[in-house]
Amino acid sequence: MNALDRRMPCSSPCRHPSPATHRTARAVQRIGRLLCWSLAAGMTTAAADLLLEPQTPWWGAVWPLPWYLTGLSLPAWAILRIREKATQHPPDEEHLPDNWDQAA
């Protein structure tokens, strides 16, 4: 609602995203979280490897795993993000709010 208690033009029912768009947005969000957490885990394990120098036999195989996950999730996130952006359409001229017509 605006100051005059009217509905803005962008609240029309034709502007609601489709279920496919919603699924894509959720997938982008989940892959983005996976990317961030795997990057954080990769930095943490790299710092632990550098500072603590663990000598256990399994450490050499475990500490690069978050980096592999980061390498796999980055292209997946990028592809899904491009797909999400492609499904979004710019607003039509008739659906723009009135205050967008004024210059700044």
Side-chain angles (χ1 to χ4, degrees), residues 7-59:
R7 290 198 172 269
M8 296 299 287
C10 61
S11 63
S12 67
C14 65
R15 299 283 309 214
H16 295 289
S18 69
T21 304
H22 188 63
R23 279 192 305 268
T24 304
R26 279 188 291 157
V28 168
Q29 200 173 46
R30 288 179 180 156
I31 294 291
R33 286 180 185 150
L34 176 66
L35 176 62
C36 289
W37 281 106
S38 63
L39 188 57
M43 286 190 253
T44 303
T45 56
D49 188 56
L50 181 68
L51 298 174
L52 302 177
E53 299 177 7
Q55 299 300 321
T56 58
W58 51 267
W59 180 252

